[in-house]
């Protein structure tokens, strides 16, 4: 078997790929395997989804329907459902998800397992919307868990998720406005105010230019023609506009109102997301260190810029999920979309992490990083993994390195 991830920088090394159609078939496959891993959209850039010599499960054919409970304001979805598809269904019923990631193409289970997050000063990660999930454990057992049981951000280390229940809110509309050329001084002096200016606010930069390239504001109000010294864009922009990438695959801009699920993501569901031929890294630091962290990255901007397509600065509200990077408080997210030169990227990662270390940095679990962070509930997570998977069949090399410190 030779399957690659979305970016093509990882070739999976499992011996078999199974596509079960029923939950019973999932249970049988898990119980009969010595090593097993569920495969989502493949949008992770490291080896978190690999299963050397074992069995990978593609759950996209799983015969499990979507169930919307209007009274409880929840929706229960199959693990392999894409957020973009779920969003259309709940919107038609008058509901919304409180947040979406930049890409609506990813599966719910994979997104949740890695604490992928979207953005917004008051918006939590997508994992925080999970009120319950169904998990096939190492012995083939089928268990259900609630949001505070420690399994939501599971990294594939606890079992195979088959269904998830997500909280909903009433449907709403947003507009998306883009501004060019935000002075760095404005970003430093007014960072909190800028991030509070919309439902979600993103800053795009290569860290080397004299101004921040773009500000994207997704909100309900009209920001005006001048935003802290940045000027309203005269045409749609791609986040990597400065690299000459056209905006064809981006969601509608220029202040045109539209439904939440067509404005919160940066990219449209019916197009290849982002650039496609890219790598990604992302780091999170407490919001109180936002300016110091940005200054630290600007200090090596001349080294980052040649390898970057673009970098995004945004905020995510805190949560109490065990292995969530946002556990314990609000964080600023520093996202890096790289040219597909993994050697050059990996040479930069230790340098970046050393610069961000004084600020309690945590990396995104699904992207390229050098060293994982410690978490207050890490010991509890390890104990839960030992209980649910005593023989370590879900303990992939990634999990052994970054969760158990074994390799």
């Amino acid at each position: 078997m030779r399957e690659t991830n979305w970016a093509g920088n990882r070739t999976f090394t499992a011996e078999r790929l199974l596509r079960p159609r029923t939950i019973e078939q999932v249970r049988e496959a898990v119980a009969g395997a010595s090593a097993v891993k569920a495969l989502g959209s493949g949008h992770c850039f490291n080896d978190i989804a690999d299963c050397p010599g074992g069995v990978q499960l593609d759950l996209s054919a799983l015969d499990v329907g979507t169930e919307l409970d209007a009274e409880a304001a929840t929706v229960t979805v199959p693990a392999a459902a894409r957020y973009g598809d779920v969003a259309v269904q709940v919107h038609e019923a008058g509901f919304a998800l409180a947040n979406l990631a930049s890409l609506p193409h990813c599966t719910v289970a994979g997104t949740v397992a890695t604490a992928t997050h979207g953005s917004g000063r008051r918006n939590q990660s997508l994992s925080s919307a999970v009120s319950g999930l169904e998990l096939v454990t190492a012995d083939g057992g089928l268990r259900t868990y609630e949001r505070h049981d420690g399994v939501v951000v599971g990294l594939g280390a606890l079992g195979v998720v088959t269904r998830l229940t997500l909280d909903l809110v009433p449907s709403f509309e947003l507009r998306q406005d883009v501004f060019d050329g935000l002075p760095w001084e404005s970003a430093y002096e007014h960072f909190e105010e800028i991030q509070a200016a919309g439902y979600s606010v993103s800053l795009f930069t290569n860290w080397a230019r004299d101004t921040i390239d773009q500000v994207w504001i997704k909100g309900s109000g009209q920001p005006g023609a001048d935003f802290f010294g940045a000027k309203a864009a005269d045409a749609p922009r791609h986040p990597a506009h400065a690299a000459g990438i056209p905006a064809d695959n981006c969601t509608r801009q220029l202040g045109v109102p539209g439904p939440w699920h067509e404005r919160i993501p940066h990219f449209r569901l019916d197009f290849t997301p982002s650039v496609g031929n890219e790598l990604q890294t992302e780091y999170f630091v407490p919001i109180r260190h936002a300016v110091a962290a940005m200054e630290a990255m600007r200090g090596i901007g001349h080294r980052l810029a040649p390898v970057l397509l673009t970098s995004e600065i945004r905020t995510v509200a805190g949560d109490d999920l065990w292995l969530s990077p946002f556990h314990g408080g609000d964080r600023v997210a520093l996202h890096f979309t790289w040219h597909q030169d993994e050697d050059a990227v990996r040479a930069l990662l230790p340098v970046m992490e050393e610069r961000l270390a004084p600020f309690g940095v945590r990396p995104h679990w699904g992207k390229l990083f050098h060293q994982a962070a410690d978490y207050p509930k890490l010991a509890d997570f390890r104990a839960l993994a030992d209980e649910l998977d005593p023989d370590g069949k879900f303990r992939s090399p990634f999990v052994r390195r970054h969760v158990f410190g074994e390799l």
Side-chain angles (χ1 to χ4, degrees):
M1 173 194 131
R2 290 183 64 83
E3 295 273 343
T4 67
N5 65 345
W6 174 79
N9 71 309
R10 301 294 310 186
T11 298
F12 299 132
T13 57
E15 288 186 354
R16 290 188 296 158
L17 175 65
L18 302 181
R19 294 183 172 87
R21 298 189 60 84
T22 67
I23 290 178
E24 187 58 37
Q25 289 175 350
V26 176
R27 298 177 66 180
E28 291 174 1
V30 170
S34 59
V36 63
K37 195 76 172 177
L39 183 64
S41 62
H43 196 260
C44 290
F45 297 82
N46 54 42
D47 60 342
I48 191 171
D50 200 9
C51 185
V55 175
Q56 276 186 322
L57 300 180
D58 178 351
L59 303 183
S60 60
L62 199 60
D63 187 18
V64 176
T66 296
E67 300 175 9
L68 193 146
D69 186 333
E71 184 174 351
T74 63
V75 63
T76 300
V77 302
R82 299 189 306 172
Y83 267 100
D85 297 322
V86 173
V88 171
Q89 290 179 279
V90 301
H91 176 70
E92 290 175 348
F95 290 96
L97 297 164
N99 206 359
L100 288 171
S102 300
L103 280 63
H105 308 68
C106 298
T107 63
V108 176
T111 298
V112 164
T114 54
T116 299
H117 51 88
S119 61
R121 189 64 186 87
R122 294 171 295 279
N123 298 332
Q124 294 180 312
S125 74
L126 277 64
S127 307
S128 296
V130 177
S131 60
L133 59 77
E134 185 177 80
L135 188 75
V136 176
T137 54
D139 60 358
L142 187 65
R143 304 191 187 191
T144 58
Y145 292 90
E146 297 181 351
R147 72 171 88 238
H148 299 301
D149 291 334
V151 304
V152 175
V153 183
L155 311 181
L158 304 176
V160 174
V161 175
T162 51
R163 282 188 280 222
L164 305 96
T165 299
L166 311 176
D167 294 335
L168 301 175
V169 299
S171 188
F172 57 96
E173 285 199 343
L174 292 173
R175 55 181 285 161
Q176 186 168 215
D177 293 273
V178 177
F179 293 82
D180 295 329
L182 178 72
W184 279 105
E185 294 74 16
S186 295
Y188 293 160
E189 186 175 351
H190 302 286
F191 185 77
E192 283 277 8
E193 193 175 351
I194 288 169
Q195 287 295 316
Y199 194 83
S200 171
V201 177
S202 296
L203 313 180
F204 293 98
T205 178
N206 79 340
W207 299 103
R209 283 186 276 272
D210 293 337
T211 60
I212 292 171
D213 297 337
Q214 301 172 52
V215 182
W216 287 29
I217 304 172
K218 304 168 192 280
S220 56
Q222 184 173 354
D226 184 289
F227 184 78
F228 295 97
K231 304 302 179 184
D234 58 3
R237 300 281 192 257
H238 188 282
H241 173 76
I245 309 298
D248 299 349
N249 63 353
C250 295
T251 48
R252 191 82 178 269
Q253 301 171 17
L254 301 180
V256 179
W260 59 280
H261 63 94
E262 295 179 0
R263 295 296 181 273
I264 296 179
H266 295 339
F267 302 103
R268 294 164 53 184
L269 183 63
D270 52 345
F271 276 74
T272 298
S274 194
V275 175
N277 186 25
E278 66 189 56
L279 301 172
Q280 292 182 11
T281 292
E282 192 162 24
Y283 295 114
F284 311 101
V285 301
I287 197 75
R288 66 183 180 276
H289 298 310
V291 172
M294 289 190 290
E295 289 177 327
M297 292 299 95
R298 283 194 75 197
I300 54 172
H302 63 290
R303 298 180 63 179
L304 302 176
V307 195
L308 273 173
L309 283 161
T310 191
S311 186
E312 181 177 7
I313 305 164
R314 47 191 166 170
T315 51
V316 186
D319 59 45
D320 59 0
L321 302 175
W322 286 10
L323 292 191
S324 166
F326 318 106
H327 181 103
D330 303 348
R331 295 218 161 208
V332 60
L334 307 176
H335 172 92
F336 302 82
T337 298
W338 308 102
H339 291 286
Q340 203 164 40
D341 184 345
E342 190 157 350
D343 288 343
V345 172
R346 289 198 177 276
L348 287 169
L349 298 180
V351 179
M352 298 166 69
E353 292 175 21
E354 182 180 8
R355 290 223 159 206
L356 295 173
F359 314 123
V361 63
R362 295 170 178 167
H364 192 301
W365 288 110
K367 302 182 181 181
L368 296 177
F369 60 89
H370 178 63
Q371 184 173 341
D374 196 10
Y375 287 83
K377 302 290 286 186
L378 182 58
D380 295 311
F381 186 88
R382 288 170 173 167
L384 182 59
D386 286 338
E387 173 193 337
L388 297 180
D389 182 22
D391 296 326
K393 67 172 59 180
F394 300 118
R395 201 166 294 187
S396 65
F398 179 95
V399 169
R400 291 184 185 278
R401 286 197 313 275
H402 296 304
V403 178
F404 290 90
E406 295 177 356
L407 299 177

